[in-house]
Amino acid sequence: MGKPTGFLEFERAEREYAPVDERTKNYKEFVVPLSEDEVRTQAARCMDCGIPFCHTGCPVNNQIPDWNDLVYDSDWKQAAINLHSTNNFPEVTGRVCPAPCEAACTLNIDDNPVAIKSIECAIADKGFAEGWIVPLPPEKKTGKKIAVIGSGPAGLAAAQQLARTGHEVHVYEKNARPGGLLVYGIPDFKMEKRLIARRVKQMEQEGITFKCNVNVGVDIDAKELQEKYDAVLLAMGSETPFDFFAKAPGRDLDGIHFAMDFLPQQNRRVANEKIPPEIHQISAEGKNVIVIGGGDTGSDCIGTSFRQGAKSVTQLEIMPRPPEKEDKAMSWPHWPMKLRVSTSQAEGAKTIYSVSTTGFSGEDGKVTKLNYVEVDSKLQPVEGSDAALDADLVLFAMGFSGPIEEGMLQQLGLDVVPRGRFKGVDSNEDNYKLPGDNNLFAAGDVRRGQSLVVWAIREGRQAARSIDEHLMGTSVLPR
């Protein structure tokens, strides 16, 4: 490596955040980037560790030690080229990925991993600033037409790979803007949408056609669409939310909503995008907000609620409070179970662990209380522990059970199983084709169940190779 003793000489430094009272007044990104010199210093900490365990944590196979070395040597342009050879959207993963690569870093044995995520984001941002990231249209066309249904990270990654190899690619998106959850799920304060718009512009210049406001299975028959194209990639995501409280008392009270009914509305407001009049407007302003679920989506609900002016925000988690520090001997280099406080939680949310919601109470048809009970280590109710919390807005952020079955999947005759996979889909990551004599492929959350953005990008890239091989007999696209 460029600095063999860097990990001994330099301490880990991370990006800082704007103060809470400042950042909660708007929806802009609040991460303060490191300077170029600081990024170079952090890159110098990457060890010549022989076996780069960071690779085991990165689904897109980023060549992390390689571009760390290039950054240390100030060869930023080559670092950007290297980074983009494995990851179509590093400016996205450099902002919203939880960085399993850092958990797998050899230096994480001592709780001081290389600041991989910060370096990745810095490379991508500098690449755009310097004009190095440009459209890469194909030299010749193959004559094959491919439809990609869904423009989330899996669909976008697949579309870009396929277009660059010469196929004509049409991306169908039911919303007004391409990007899927990158645009309508992740709040702007975590990732501003100009980043996605910039990528979409690049992809259009590479020959990709985006057909927005087209809901396949509703606005257009999926079977007819299938017949028009040489291949169709299903990348619609896993959009059916879990509702563990469907039969709970008071579930029908006003003020109880799924997270993905709440978050997209605010993203549309920030973008000055019209919210259809038939959609019930949801706001946390002046309310006691309860968020059920402890993952990223729950955290996004917390941060959005504070910015809307919530009176209080409480997060409920049925699992016990995780340990503050993991057992390295048991976990490393895998993703550890330990206490993590998100930037949104740090803005003032209260988190209650080991509780299970039993129902809701209200007045005049509106929710006013959330009823719960404490649970033991086996998640069984603790007798006599019943209690209630003030609740004017309750948001369910408990994950997703699979794709929407009505419409497109019915028209294509496809069955699904829980967590989003189609029945009969080969789990082999070299084969993304749906079973049978057809031209259908699947990638992303719709194939593997809800997961991370970085996994969706990997699936999109691998599905593109699978489609290319199916149509052309061979493929030069990377695995």
Side-chain angles (χ1 to χ4, degrees), residues 4 64 81 104-105 118 125 141 154 224 238 276 332 358 414 434 450 454 458-459:
I64 296 163
I81 293 171
C105 176
S118 295
D125 288 350
K141 291 286 190 177
E224 293 180 9
S238 179
W332 182 87
T358 57
L414 297 173
L434 297 187
Q450 69 170 92
V454 69
R458 172 186 175 131
E459 290 243 331

PDB file of all heavy atoms in Angstrom, residues 4 64 81 104-105 118 125 141 154 224 238 276 332 358 414 434 450 454 458-459:
ATOM      1  N   PRO A   4       2.484   1.900   4.201  1.00  0.00           N
ATOM      2  CA  PRO A   4       2.384   0.631   4.933  1.00  0.00           C
ATOM      3  C   PRO A   4       2.169   0.793   6.430  1.00  0.00           C
ATOM      4  O   PRO A   4       1.573  -0.067   7.069  1.00  0.00           O
ATOM      5  CB  PRO A   4       3.737  -0.041   4.643  1.00  0.00           C
ATOM      6  CG  PRO A   4       4.186   0.569   3.355  1.00  0.00           C
ATOM      7  CD  PRO A   4       3.701   1.982   3.386  1.00  0.00           C
ATOM      8  N   ILE A  64     -11.728  -2.187  -2.794  1.00  0.00           N
ATOM      9  CA  ILE A  64     -11.511  -1.144  -1.791  1.00  0.00           C
ATOM     10  C   ILE A  64     -10.034  -0.820  -1.569  1.00  0.00           C
ATOM     11  O   ILE A  64      -9.656   0.368  -1.616  1.00  0.00           O
ATOM     12  CB  ILE A  64     -12.229  -1.527  -0.483  1.00  0.00           C
ATOM     13  CG1 ILE A  64     -13.747  -1.576  -0.719  1.00  0.00           C
ATOM     14  CG2 ILE A  64     -11.901  -0.538   0.635  1.00  0.00           C
ATOM     15  CD1 ILE A  64     -14.528  -2.317   0.342  1.00  0.00           C
ATOM     16  N   ILE A  81     -12.450   5.759 -11.780  1.00  0.00           N
ATOM     17  CA  ILE A  81     -12.635   4.731 -12.808  1.00  0.00           C
ATOM     18  C   ILE A  81     -12.727   3.354 -12.165  1.00  0.00           C
ATOM     19  O   ILE A  81     -13.595   2.537 -12.498  1.00  0.00           O
ATOM     20  CB  ILE A  81     -11.471   4.782 -13.825  1.00  0.00           C
ATOM     21  CG1 ILE A  81     -11.530   6.084 -14.630  1.00  0.00           C
ATOM     22  CG2 ILE A  81     -11.513   3.572 -14.758  1.00  0.00           C
ATOM     23  CD1 ILE A  81     -10.316   6.327 -15.508  1.00  0.00           C
ATOM     24  N   ALA A 104     -16.257  -5.410   8.230  1.00  0.00           N
ATOM     25  CA  ALA A 104     -15.367  -6.516   7.869  1.00  0.00           C
ATOM     26  C   ALA A 104     -13.898  -6.106   7.811  1.00  0.00           C
ATOM     27  O   ALA A 104     -13.026  -6.963   7.672  1.00  0.00           O
ATOM     28  CB  ALA A 104     -15.790  -7.092   6.521  1.00  0.00           C
ATOM     29  N   CYS A 105     -13.615  -4.808   7.890  1.00  0.00           N
ATOM     30  CA  CYS A 105     -12.246  -4.314   7.810  1.00  0.00           C
ATOM     31  C   CYS A 105     -11.379  -4.936   8.913  1.00  0.00           C
ATOM     32  O   CYS A 105     -11.832  -5.092  10.052  1.00  0.00           O
ATOM     33  CB  CYS A 105     -12.239  -2.792   7.930  1.00  0.00           C
ATOM     34  SG  CYS A 105     -10.594  -2.032   7.957  1.00  0.00           S
ATOM     35  N   SER A 118     -16.739   7.030   3.689  1.00  0.00           N
ATOM     36  CA  SER A 118     -16.405   8.441   3.463  1.00  0.00           C
ATOM     37  C   SER A 118     -15.498   8.598   2.242  1.00  0.00           C
ATOM     38  O   SER A 118     -15.659   9.529   1.447  1.00  0.00           O
ATOM     39  CB  SER A 118     -15.718   9.030   4.697  1.00  0.00           C
ATOM     40  OG  SER A 118     -16.597   9.060   5.800  1.00  0.00           O
ATOM     41  N   ASP A 125     -17.996  12.097  -5.531  1.00  0.00           N
ATOM     42  CA  ASP A 125     -18.304  13.530  -5.605  1.00  0.00           C
ATOM     43  C   ASP A 125     -17.226  14.292  -6.375  1.00  0.00           C
ATOM     44  O   ASP A 125     -17.533  15.190  -7.165  1.00  0.00           O
ATOM     45  CB  ASP A 125     -18.459  14.104  -4.198  1.00  0.00           C
ATOM     46  CG  ASP A 125     -19.748  13.647  -3.517  1.00  0.00           C
ATOM     47  OD1 ASP A 125     -20.602  13.055  -4.201  1.00  0.00           O
ATOM     48  OD2 ASP A 125     -19.896  13.875  -2.301  1.00  0.00           O
ATOM     49  N   LYS A 141     -25.043  -0.927 -31.761  1.00  0.00           N
ATOM     50  CA  LYS A 141     -26.277  -1.461 -31.197  1.00  0.00           C
ATOM     51  C   LYS A 141     -26.438  -2.940 -31.545  1.00  0.00           C
ATOM     52  O   LYS A 141     -25.976  -3.400 -32.584  1.00  0.00           O
ATOM     53  CB  LYS A 141     -27.484  -0.669 -31.722  1.00  0.00           C
ATOM     54  CG  LYS A 141     -27.576   0.764 -31.201  1.00  0.00           C
ATOM     55  CD  LYS A 141     -28.026   0.785 -29.750  1.00  0.00           C
ATOM     56  CE  LYS A 141     -28.368   2.193 -29.286  1.00  0.00           C
ATOM     57  NZ  LYS A 141     -28.879   2.198 -27.898  1.00  0.00           N
ATOM     58  N   ALA A 154     -31.896  -1.435  -8.422  1.00  0.00           N
ATOM     59  CA  ALA A 154     -31.698  -2.648  -9.224  1.00  0.00           C
ATOM     60  C   ALA A 154     -32.028  -2.377 -10.681  1.00  0.00           C
ATOM     61  O   ALA A 154     -31.260  -2.736 -11.587  1.00  0.00           O
ATOM     62  CB  ALA A 154     -32.553  -3.791  -8.683  1.00  0.00           C
ATOM     63  N   GLU A 224     -48.947  -7.823 -22.903  1.00  0.00           N
ATOM     64  CA  GLU A 224     -48.673  -7.126 -24.161  1.00  0.00           C
ATOM     65  C   GLU A 224     -47.276  -6.523 -24.149  1.00  0.00           C
ATOM     66  O   GLU A 224     -46.564  -6.555 -25.164  1.00  0.00           O
ATOM     67  CB  GLU A 224     -49.726  -6.030 -24.379  1.00  0.00           C
ATOM     68  CG  GLU A 224     -51.135  -6.550 -24.626  1.00  0.00           C
ATOM     69  CD  GLU A 224     -52.128  -5.416 -24.835  1.00  0.00           C
ATOM     70  OE1 GLU A 224     -51.685  -4.248 -24.946  1.00  0.00           O
ATOM     71  OE2 GLU A 224     -53.345  -5.697 -24.858  1.00  0.00           O
ATOM     72  N   SER A 238     -40.104  -4.681  -3.293  1.00  0.00           N
ATOM     73  CA  SER A 238     -40.973  -5.394  -2.358  1.00  0.00           C
ATOM     74  C   SER A 238     -41.802  -4.347  -1.637  1.00  0.00           C
ATOM     75  O   SER A 238     -41.352  -3.742  -0.670  1.00  0.00           O
ATOM     76  CB  SER A 238     -40.112  -6.198  -1.375  1.00  0.00           C
ATOM     77  OG  SER A 238     -40.909  -6.875  -0.437  1.00  0.00           O
ATOM     78  N   PRO A 276     -51.406  13.634  -5.308  1.00  0.00           N
ATOM     79  CA  PRO A 276     -52.773  13.430  -5.804  1.00  0.00           C
ATOM     80  C   PRO A 276     -53.816  13.749  -4.738  1.00  0.00           C
ATOM     81  O   PRO A 276     -53.626  13.399  -3.560  1.00  0.00           O
ATOM     82  CB  PRO A 276     -52.788  11.944  -6.173  1.00  0.00           C
ATOM     83  CG  PRO A 276     -51.360  11.620  -6.469  1.00  0.00           C
ATOM     84  CD  PRO A 276     -50.553  12.468  -5.527  1.00  0.00           C
ATOM     85  N   TRP A 332     -16.763 -10.867  13.932  1.00  0.00           N
ATOM     86  CA  TRP A 332     -15.924 -10.364  12.848  1.00  0.00           C
ATOM     87  C   TRP A 332     -15.547 -11.501  11.902  1.00  0.00           C
ATOM     88  O   TRP A 332     -15.238 -12.598  12.344  1.00  0.00           O
ATOM     89  CB  TRP A 332     -14.652  -9.719  13.421  1.00  0.00           C
ATOM     90  CG  TRP A 332     -13.779  -9.132  12.360  1.00  0.00           C
ATOM     91  CD1 TRP A 332     -13.862  -7.893  11.828  1.00  0.00           C
ATOM     92  CD2 TRP A 332     -12.719  -9.785  11.668  1.00  0.00           C
ATOM     93  NE1 TRP A 332     -12.918  -7.726  10.838  1.00  0.00           N
ATOM     94  CE2 TRP A 332     -12.201  -8.883  10.720  1.00  0.00           C
ATOM     95  CE3 TRP A 332     -12.157 -11.064  11.743  1.00  0.00           C
ATOM     96  CZ2 TRP A 332     -11.154  -9.205   9.862  1.00  0.00           C
ATOM     97  CZ3 TRP A 332     -11.109 -11.393  10.887  1.00  0.00           C
ATOM     98  CH2 TRP A 332     -10.619 -10.467   9.966  1.00  0.00           C
ATOM     99  N   THR A 358     -50.151  -3.816  21.683  1.00  0.00           N
ATOM    100  CA  THR A 358     -51.344  -4.658  21.849  1.00  0.00           C
ATOM    101  C   THR A 358     -52.586  -4.044  21.218  1.00  0.00           C
ATOM    102  O   THR A 358     -53.579  -4.741  21.010  1.00  0.00           O
ATOM    103  CB  THR A 358     -51.600  -4.916  23.332  1.00  0.00           C
ATOM    104  OG1 THR A 358     -51.727  -3.652  24.018  1.00  0.00           O
ATOM    105  CG2 THR A 358     -50.462  -5.711  23.947  1.00  0.00           C
ATOM    106  N   LEU A 414     -47.629 -15.048 -12.437  1.00  0.00           N
ATOM    107  CA  LEU A 414     -46.523 -15.323 -11.526  1.00  0.00           C
ATOM    108  C   LEU A 414     -47.010 -15.380 -10.086  1.00  0.00           C
ATOM    109  O   LEU A 414     -47.801 -14.546  -9.655  1.00  0.00           O
ATOM    110  CB  LEU A 414     -45.444 -14.244 -11.653  1.00  0.00           C
ATOM    111  CG  LEU A 414     -44.768 -14.140 -13.033  1.00  0.00           C
ATOM    112  CD1 LEU A 414     -43.853 -12.925 -13.068  1.00  0.00           C
ATOM    113  CD2 LEU A 414     -43.994 -15.402 -13.341  1.00  0.00           C
ATOM    114  N   LEU A 434     -36.615 -16.086 -14.841  1.00  0.00           N
ATOM    115  CA  LEU A 434     -37.717 -16.793 -14.213  1.00  0.00           C
ATOM    116  C   LEU A 434     -37.901 -18.136 -14.910  1.00  0.00           C
ATOM    117  O   LEU A 434     -37.610 -18.274 -16.094  1.00  0.00           O
ATOM    118  CB  LEU A 434     -38.995 -15.969 -14.291  1.00  0.00           C
ATOM    119  CG  LEU A 434     -38.989 -14.635 -13.552  1.00  0.00           C
ATOM    120  CD1 LEU A 434     -40.374 -14.010 -13.567  1.00  0.00           C
ATOM    121  CD2 LEU A 434     -38.534 -14.803 -12.107  1.00  0.00           C
ATOM    122  N   GLN A 450     -36.776  -7.761   0.721  1.00  0.00           N
ATOM    123  CA  GLN A 450     -36.249  -6.439   1.037  1.00  0.00           C
ATOM    124  C   GLN A 450     -34.811  -6.531   1.518  1.00  0.00           C
ATOM    125  O   GLN A 450     -34.439  -7.413   2.284  1.00  0.00           O
ATOM    126  CB  GLN A 450     -37.113  -5.745   2.077  1.00  0.00           C
ATOM    127  CG  GLN A 450     -37.026  -6.372   3.462  1.00  0.00           C
ATOM    128  CD  GLN A 450     -37.695  -5.508   4.510  1.00  0.00           C
ATOM    129  OE1 GLN A 450     -38.857  -5.672   4.784  1.00  0.00           O
ATOM    130  NE2 GLN A 450     -36.940  -4.606   5.104  1.00  0.00           N
ATOM    131  N   VAL A 454     -27.173  -1.460  -1.745  1.00  0.00           N
ATOM    132  CA  VAL A 454     -25.973  -2.030  -2.348  1.00  0.00           C
ATOM    133  C   VAL A 454     -26.246  -3.437  -2.898  1.00  0.00           C
ATOM    134  O   VAL A 454     -25.692  -3.839  -3.920  1.00  0.00           O
ATOM    135  CB  VAL A 454     -24.807  -2.023  -1.329  1.00  0.00           C
ATOM    136  CG1 VAL A 454     -25.037  -2.996  -0.204  1.00  0.00           C
ATOM    137  CG2 VAL A 454     -23.483  -2.271  -2.015  1.00  0.00           C
ATOM    138  N   ARG A 458     -26.029  -4.702  -6.910  1.00  0.00           N
ATOM    139  CA  ARG A 458     -25.375  -5.952  -7.308  1.00  0.00           C
ATOM    140  C   ARG A 458     -26.323  -6.814  -8.137  1.00  0.00           C
ATOM    141  O   ARG A 458     -25.951  -7.348  -9.187  1.00  0.00           O
ATOM    142  CB  ARG A 458     -24.933  -6.728  -6.071  1.00  0.00           C
ATOM    143  CG  ARG A 458     -24.428  -8.135  -6.396  1.00  0.00           C
ATOM    144  CD  ARG A 458     -24.134  -8.928  -5.144  1.00  0.00           C
ATOM    145  NE  ARG A 458     -23.774 -10.306  -5.484  1.00  0.00           N
ATOM    146  CZ  ARG A 458     -22.711 -10.945  -5.014  1.00  0.00           C
ATOM    147  NH1 ARG A 458     -21.877 -10.319  -4.215  1.00  0.00           N
ATOM    148  NH2 ARG A 458     -22.470 -12.200  -5.332  1.00  0.00           N
ATOM    149  N   GLU A 459     -27.558  -6.966  -7.659  1.00  0.00           N
ATOM    150  CA  GLU A 459     -28.520  -7.796  -8.380  1.00  0.00           C
ATOM    151  C   GLU A 459     -28.795  -7.242  -9.768  1.00  0.00           C
ATOM    152  O   GLU A 459     -28.906  -7.990 -10.740  1.00  0.00           O
ATOM    153  CB  GLU A 459     -29.818  -7.912  -7.577  1.00  0.00           C
ATOM    154  CG  GLU A 459     -29.700  -8.732  -6.313  1.00  0.00           C
ATOM    155  CD  GLU A 459     -30.560  -9.971  -6.337  1.00  0.00           C
ATOM    156  OE1 GLU A 459     -31.606  -9.948  -7.003  1.00  0.00           O
ATOM    157  OE2 GLU A 459     -30.173 -10.983  -5.713  1.00  0.00           O
TER     158      GLU A 459
END
